[in-house]
Amino acid sequence: MKKILVLVLALILALGSFALAEAVDPATIEDNMTSDNGTYEVAFVTDVGQLKDKSFNEGTWNGVKLYASENGLSYKYYQPANGDQATDDDRYDAMKAAADAGAKVIVCAGFMQGTALEKAANEFADVKFIFIDGWGMGLDNVVGVAFKEEQCGYLAGYAVVKDGYESLGFAGGGGGTNPACMRYGYGFIQGANDAAKEMGKTVDMKFTWAYGASFSPSAELQTLISGWYEAGTEIVFSAGGSIFDSITAAASANDGAVIGVDVDQSFQSDTVVTSALKGITEGTYQMIGKAYDGTWADLGGAVSLGINEDAVGLPVDTWSLEGFTVDDYNALVESMKSGELVVDAEAAEGDPNAKGPWDAVTVDYVE
């Protein structure tokens, strides 16, 4: 697997910087605008799955719309042909269509865009490319934006065990090849393990990449997760875009609980107890701004955003946790920021089922 190489962003995105300029609801901004001259200055090329996936694509698109609308810029989204079966050529064609339509900034979501993006960036050297969940390419017109998903995955695992959950599940997207989802899962295990160890008990976890390769809901995944709940699993971390729909359906039918991903998904289902958040909307918004404010070169080609940039976390205002308090959460976050608590990500990037050893969590890897 190609390892994500990033430079830590230190000079911007400090405390509070992920607050957008205005409290605008992205849902009120048109998805399909019409440009007066037929050109579109800011473009978004979607990842697999639907634009309105209530997760990764939608969160990125919201950042594009917010920046463009606030700054009077035309904008458009492009979905590669062939849906979940899109090839590198399909992705490149979408990027080329955006560049040919006048895009000055093209935001590409998802690690699978890498090959097509590198080709397009070399061809359209005057266009700036923002690679969300991506890496730096050594090209002046590309910035890769990665997140420390292992940190918010850890927070989610730690919080739910402290809240009393003892039988956990993790279902990941990308089939075990998506670095972001892999970091979520590995962090989740670490957090659950540390919380259980502090409490002097052992918890169990089912862990799978099955039926999540396309990030799409499926009857097979819903059946699998329903079986988990029926066998005693209490809560499942849904870390894979639209597979959320299958997992919440299984939870609803079995009185189970769910952990959402990427954005606050508590508004999408009553089964959601909390969500592992990363600042996709805000990060996209900020990076587009760097393309216009003269500081693009300061980014050094890649950024990695985590707890120290307030770019990952849990939604304390909407969670339904009871045994794990906001004070507990803030103390845990501060221990991460101080460096007292370090969450490992390296092992997960090389092995989707990276083994511990774990002291207080028994992981059942389900294939």
Side-chain angles (χ1 to χ4, degrees), residues 87-310:
T87 64
D88 290 334
D89 286 342
D90 294 327
R91 297 181 183 97
Y92 166 79
D93 288 344
M95 296 173 202
K96 184 178 186 302
D100 289 344
K104 295 180 180 178
V105 178
I106 299 178
V107 178
C108 301
F111 82 112
M112 287 187 288
Q113 306 272 15
T115 299
L117 192 156
E118 187 167 8
K119 178 181 176 181
N122 275 296
E123 182 174 345
F124 301 102
D126 293 335
V127 176
K128 291 183 171 65
F129 289 82
I130 297 169
F131 188 9
I132 302 296
D133 267 8
W135 53 87
M137 296 181 171
L139 300 172
D140 291 341
N141 61 331
V142 177
V143 167
V145 182
F147 294 85
K148 294 183 172 69
E149 292 90 357
E150 71 278 5
Q151 293 179 337
C152 52
Y154 181 102
L155 292 169
Y158 187 97
V160 297
V161 171
K162 285 288 187 176
D163 205 53
Y165 292 94
E166 296 184 343
S167 187
L168 319 179
F170 172 87
T177 65
N178 180 297
C181 292
M182 290 158 67
R183 290 193 293 270
Y184 272 129
Y186 202 58
F188 185 60
I189 296 174
Q190 290 176 76
N193 182 74
D194 286 357
K197 187 163 56 174
E198 289 176 11
M199 299 169 76
K201 64 182 183 181
T202 300
V203 301
D204 61 82
M205 181 186 300
K206 292 188 179 299
F207 192 98
T208 193
W209 303 101
Y211 309 117
S214 70
F215 296 90
S216 299
S218 70
E220 293 83 0
L221 179 60
Q222 185 173 334
T223 298
L224 174 67
I225 304 302
S226 288
W228 287 8
Y229 285 123
E230 290 167 4
T233 296
E234 299 166 314
I235 188 166
V236 175
F237 184 8
S238 171
S242 293
I243 68 171
F244 174 82
D245 293 338
S246 295
I247 293 170
T248 53
S252 294
N254 293 280
D255 197 26
V258 174
I259 300 167
V261 76
D262 291 341
V263 298
D264 184 358
Q265 295 189 302
S266 63
F267 303 100
Q268 310 304 329
S269 172
D270 291 339
T271 65
V272 174
V273 170
T274 189
S275 300
L277 307 179
K278 62 183 185 183
I280 304 168
T281 297
E282 298 86 347
T284 300
Y285 179 101
Q286 293 279 345
M287 293 302 107
I288 297 173
K290 297 300 170 184
Y292 286 96
D293 69 5
T295 60
W296 177 266
D298 295 341
L299 299 174
V303 297
S304 180
L305 308 176
I307 203 74
N308 287 321
E309 295 78 35
D310 295 311

Side-chain angles (χ1 to χ4, degrees), residues 346-357:
E346 293 298 316
E349 292 182 3
D351 178 2
N353 293 327
K355 312 299 192 292

